[in-house]
Amino acid sequence: MTDTLYVSDLDGTLLGADSLVSARSRELLGQAISAGARFSLATARTPATVAGLLRGIDTPLPLVVMTGATLWDKRTGQYSHTRYIPESEARKVVDIYRRSGFSSFVYTLSEGMIHIYHVGSMSPQESAFMQERLHSPFKCFHIPADGESELPERLDKVVLFYGMRPDALAVPVHEEVARSVDCSPLCYHDIYGPEIAVAEVFARESTKANGVRQLAREAGAKRIVAFGDNINDLPMLRAADVAVAVANAVDEVKQVADIVIGPNTADAVPEFILSDLRRRN
């Protein structure tokens, strides 16, 4: 087995234009894992969607999910190394959101289940996001029709705030959170287009980089090769021994990358893993 840990982001990196793992990528990943590649993911997604996307792909190692807030073992369904936002800081975020008229999902993790609440009125993007996930066995929504949940009495199990709003609202709120709260906030554009920003808040140590480092220690890997395309991949890429950007990555990612490969639509990640594995063996 190789001493390298290969870790890939999902959206825009391993997934194609249809937000799925292509048949060829599945085949190549299967070959690489069978040949001894230590492969995992570091994604902003939760197990609710990751499990389906990886169906049929054997991944013995835990996965870094929710941008490093926790590790999740696909084989056992168990979470580990969860990083919770301190309750006092979570309450500050809620206060800022309510005062600013900003809406956000509030993700908590308790007893192996993700419970999701909501602050503020539901945006169209948030409503569509929720409808796609209502029947997942991995998460439970506690959100009424008007979108404003009654939050848990204690906010000591919050792992993530996740909102999708226009730039004009999201950016100032993100900046206030960054100034006022001891946390790790992110604000970036994703699949919703350039006019809608994704605003996330995690615990201070919740990053893909820290999740990948933990995974590497547990796997006994001496070398990390990481693949990414977007702003939330930067900490992971900076922590890697080899940082790989796909051709469709944002400029900030390409600037820190050691190597730029083909686009996410060309099965570039598994092709690189197989090539690197064969070269090192």
Side-chain angles (χ1 to χ4, degrees):
M1 181 171 285
T2 179
D3 64 352
T4 298
L5 172 64
Y6 299 97
V7 185
S8 178
D9 170 55
L10 272 178
D11 293 276
T13 305
L14 180 63
L15 302 186
D18 56 0
S19 294
L20 297 172
V21 182
S22 74
R24 177 156 174 75
S25 282
R26 288 176 180 276
E27 178 185 352
L28 295 175
L29 281 176
Q31 292 177 22
I33 293 169
S34 296
R38 301 172 191 250
F39 174 76
S40 185
L41 297 175
T43 175
R45 290 182 181 244
T46 69
T49 51
V50 172
L53 290 169
L54 293 186
R55 190 173 291 116
I57 301 174
D58 184 27
T59 50
L61 295 177
L63 310 175
V64 180
V65 296
M66 300 170 76
T67 315
T70 188
L71 303 187
W72 180 70
D73 191 319
K74 178 171 170 280
R75 290 181 166 185
T76 66
Q78 298 298 307
Y79 293 90
S80 63
H81 305 288
T82 303
R83 295 176 169 90
Y84 295 104
I85 300 172
E87 184 172 15
S88 59
E89 306 310 302
R91 292 200 177 279
K92 289 180 186 177
V93 175
V94 171
D95 289 344
I96 291 171
Y97 284 177
R98 284 179 170 160
R99 186 176 67 249
S100 306
F102 190 77
S103 64
S104 176
F105 292 106
V106 184
Y107 284 68
T108 68
L109 179 56
S110 178
E111 298 180 353
M113 175 65 74
I114 296 173
H115 295 269
I116 304 176
Y117 304 84
H118 193 264
V119 175
S121 300
M122 194 80 67
S123 72
Q125 291 80 15
E126 289 170 327
S127 181
F129 178 89
M130 183 177 70
Q131 291 300 320
E132 292 174 1
R133 294 159 173 80
L134 277 177
H135 304 295
S136 168
F138 296 97
K139 56 179 64 171
C140 180
F141 287 87
H142 305 268
I143 303 175
D146 64 4
E148 179 70 29
S149 295
E150 181 175 341
L151 298 178
E153 184 176 342
R154 297 194 61 183
L155 292 179
D156 58 341
K157 297 295 184 182
V158 177
V159 292
L160 165 66
F161 290 89
Y162 182 87
M164 295 158 274
R165 284 293 187 172
D167 264 7
L169 178 57
V171 172
V173 171
H174 162 74
E175 292 174 346
E176 182 176 357
V177 169
R179 288 192 307 268
S180 309
V181 182
D182 183 18
C183 64
S184 179
L186 290 171
C187 188
Y188 59 96
H189 295 102
D190 204 349
I191 60 174
Y192 304 103
E195 70 283 355
I196 300 294
V198 173
E200 299 175 324
V201 180
F202 299 91
R204 174 65 64 188
E205 299 302 315
S206 293
T207 65
K208 288 186 178 182
N210 285 335
V212 168
R213 290 189 188 104
Q214 180 66 44
L215 188 57
R217 286 193 293 269
E218 292 188 359
K222 299 178 181 178
R223 174 176 177 256
I224 299 172
V225 177
F227 305 83
D229 76 306
N230 213 333
I231 298 298
N232 64 344
D233 297 317
L234 287 173
M236 171 178 71
L237 294 173
R238 291 187 176 114
D241 297 288
V242 181
V244 184
V246 285
N248 52 287
V250 298
D251 289 341
E252 293 93 329
V253 169
K254 290 179 180 178
Q255 288 167 8
V256 304
D258 299 301
I259 302 169
V260 178
I261 58 175
N264 65 313
T265 53
D267 307 303
V269 170
E271 284 189 352
F272 182 93
I273 292 173
L274 263 180
S275 175
D276 186 72
L277 187 66
R278 289 165 178 164
R279 179 178 61 81
R280 290 181 65 80
N281 287 344

